[in-house]
Structure formats: C-alpha cells, structure tokens
Amino acid sequence: MPDTMANSMSQATEMPLILGGHSFISQLGNDPPVSERDHYRIVDSCLNHAVRWFDTTYQPERIALGNVLHTLGRRNEATILAWNFFTDFSPDDPIGGPEYYRPWHIDVILEQLRTDYVDCLVAISLNDPEENQRQEELLIEWRRKGYVRSLGLWIQDPANIEQFRHDNPFRFAIRPFNITTDEAAPIFTACKMSGWETLATSPFGRGWEIDRMIAAASARGYGDAETLRPIVADLMLRFSLFQRDVDRVIVAMRKVEWINRNLESVSRGPLTVDELRWLRNLYPAGKHRWWRQLRRWF
C-alpha cells in the first residue's frame, strides 16, 4: 500500500484488525521464525497504520509484545488482549493448554506485558463448573480493582451464550469464523443479539492448512501456487472480516509486508458474489481437521 494511502486510512479510522500473538512464535505457522528485530518492525508498522489491537494468547507472546511496546514507548496506543495460558516454551517445545486463572496470575500477566493493566482478559471455560465460577469471580474482581478494563470469553458452542444471557460480565465473544466453520454465522448472530462485541479468529485456519488448500487448488488447475497465495489469502480474510456480525478479526502477520496486504484487503470491502462463489468452489464447506483439533485443545 502506498504511504499516502496508508496515512489516509490511519487518520480516517482504526482498522478492524487485531495483530495475532502467533506473529511472535513459530509453533502455529509454517513460516520461518520471526526475528526480534522484526517484532519491533511489525508492531511499529501496525500502530503506524491504525492497527492498534494486539492479541497475546501464550506466555512467550505476552513477553514479546510487552518488551516491544515498552521499548517503543507506545503502550498507551495499544489495546492488549491476554488469555489463560501460562506454559513457557521455546521454539521447539509444545505450546501447552489453558489453565484456570489463579489469584497470582494477574501479577504474572502484568509483569510480562510490562503494563499496569490489560485492556481485555479472555477466559476459556474448562471442564469443572465450580472452577469456572471461581475463575469468573476472580476476573470480575480484577476488573473492579482496575487491573483489567474488560473481559472476553472464548465461545465454544451456543450454550456459552445462553449461560450468560441475563447476567453477563463479558464484553467480547471470541471464536473462529472462516470459510470452514459452517456453524459460526448463527453463533455470531446470537452473540450480537445478546449484546456482545465479536472477535473472529483464524481467518486462514493454520498456515499449513492454507498451504494444502492452495496446493490442491493448483493441482485442480486454478493456477500456480505463488499466484494463488495472495489471491486466496485476500479472499479468506475478507470472508471473515466482512461477515455481518463480526466486529474485528485476529490475524497473525509475521512479515511487515503482510500488514500492507491485509490493509489492502480491508480497503476492498466485502466479497463480491463471484469472489464468494470462487472461494467456495476452491474450498467446499464442511468440517475440517484443524478446527476439530482446535476444539480438542480448548
């Protein structure tokens, strides 16, 4: 995107994109690891282009973003999301799963993010109803004390919505919404009708899934992989972003140039009828392995 266009968009409005914390780790993508220098360039470029929301799911992501924003001196420009994952890991280690929030976790999160508060703290409900209730009470207490500005909830199924229909401490509902998640649209509609703001994750699934999709499309005669990649990525992002009941989309951007590409996608607006038909022909609707695996993780 030319600088003049980027500056115009930045001045006009905040972008509905959230930089995914997976931009800072290598486990959940198939791209080369991002250097520490590029962490700074990516976050700085996001802020300069009005991408001001930052997601940090895992502990190394919080540490990376906290260091970058502190060094840049731009914490006050960022809206930060954090989650209940507390496993530390190196590039070759497994990422670990979610845990119930405990009283000491807020100190851990704030120290790692190098901040006095978190803009949105996200909860994942696990298997024990009593523990989930204690977790919810703890989050409300942290919000009352000013450690947390707002709360978000990972929505696994419509039962989560019904549970909080009449007494809802959460502001944000979060779950995947992309060309593979057939059940997402009515769930997002139900969330909006209940007054939630909605954040969609995983517009591309995982990196290796979009690679398989492009390889299969190339084998079917749609074109060579390098030509297809930016086209498919553009369509998949716009599919998620411009759904009627989606407010923002969390998307990993491991290269500075991808920020400009994604901003160009935002500027193109919703998919046309022909674009949607082409994308559905490329990737027929249905349940897919990566989404089933994601449900098992949470």
Side-chain angles (χ1 to χ4, degrees):
M1 174 184 295
D3 288 342
T4 53
M5 183 186 299
N7 290 337
S8 175
M9 292 176 68
S10 176
Q11 294 170 6
T13 185
E14 184 177 277
M15 294 295 105
L17 301 177
I18 301 173
L19 179 71
H22 303 347
S23 305
F24 301 112
I25 62 174
S26 58
Q27 276 85 347
L28 299 176
N30 57 343
D31 316 295
V34 180
S35 68
E36 183 175 329
R37 175 176 177 271
D38 279 342
H39 288 174
Y40 289 91
R41 295 178 63 225
I42 289 167
V43 172
D44 198 45
S45 181
C46 281
L47 290 170
N48 291 341
H49 291 82
V51 178
R52 300 194 177 98
W53 288 49
F54 298 86
D55 177 61
T56 58
T57 305
Y58 298 101
Q59 181 162 298
E61 299 172 1
R62 292 194 295 269
I63 294 170
L65 180 65
N67 289 338
V68 169
L69 289 174
H70 177 77
T71 301
L72 293 176
R74 305 187 72 174
R75 165 64 182 100
N76 64 328
E77 300 176 54
T79 298
I80 302 175
L81 287 74
W83 299 59
N84 49 327
F85 289 78
F86 297 97
T87 300
D88 196 16
F89 54 83
S90 63
D92 297 322
D93 293 333
I95 57 178
E99 306 173 30
Y100 296 106
Y101 284 110
R102 302 299 184 191
W104 60 87
H105 280 152
I106 190 62
D107 293 326
V108 172
I109 292 170
L110 296 179
E111 181 179 0
Q112 290 170 346
L113 286 170
R114 305 182 71 164
T115 185
D116 297 326
Y117 66 93
V118 179
D119 298 277
C120 178
L121 202 56
V122 183
I124 298 172
S125 296
L126 301 174
N127 296 325
D128 187 327
E130 291 186 2
E131 288 289 346
N132 286 331
Q133 180 62 34
R134 280 192 285 269
Q135 174 173 253
E136 180 185 332
E137 292 169 357
L138 188 59
L139 292 172
I140 293 171
E141 178 185 352
W142 289 344
R143 184 180 60 185
R144 180 180 60 81
K145 291 181 175 179
Y147 300 136
V148 178
R149 298 284 175 87
S150 61
L151 303 176
L153 183 67
W154 175 262
I155 302 294
Q156 300 187 62
D157 58 54
N160 296 123
I161 306 169
E162 290 299 321
Q163 179 183 357
F164 296 104
R165 185 173 294 278
H166 302 295
D167 184 17
N168 182 14
F170 298 99
R171 175 180 170 185
F172 296 99
I174 307 172
R175 85 182 308 277
F177 196 158
N178 59 48
I179 193 69
T180 77
T181 55
D182 312 324
E183 73 288 350
I187 293 176
F188 271 68
T189 297
C191 288
K192 293 300 289 184
M193 291 179 64
S194 297
W196 304 58
E197 294 182 47
T198 55
L199 310 180
T201 72
S202 313
F204 312 124
R206 300 298 188 207
W208 51 86
E209 291 291 340
I210 193 172
D211 275 356
R212 290 171 183 161
M213 173 181 172
I214 290 169
S218 181
R220 290 161 55 195
Y222 279 83
D224 66 272
E226 290 306 309
T227 301
L228 282 172
R229 183 174 302 280
I231 296 172
V232 173
D234 168 68
L235 297 182
M236 292 187 78
L237 179 59
R238 289 163 59 207
F239 176 91
S240 298
L241 181 60
F242 292 104
Q243 295 291 330
R244 181 187 61 188
D245 296 312
V246 169
D247 292 317
R248 295 178 183 273
V249 171
I250 301 174
V251 55
M253 293 180 273
R254 294 183 175 90
K255 298 179 181 179
V256 174
E257 56 265 32
W258 290 357
I259 299 169
N260 286 336
R261 290 182 187 176
N262 288 342
L263 292 176
E264 289 171 352
S265 293
V266 173
S267 71
R268 291 189 183 101
L271 298 181
T272 66
V273 173
D274 287 341
E275 287 174 328
L276 179 58
R277 183 183 299 116
W278 189 89
L279 185 60
R280 289 200 180 281
N281 287 338
L282 193 69
Y283 209 32
K287 303 292 183 184
H288 297 275
R289 183 172 64 252
W290 78 268
W291 170 231
R292 293 197 298 270
Q293 180 65 50
L294 192 62
R295 289 182 66 94
R296 284 199 293 272
W297 289 341
F298 290 170

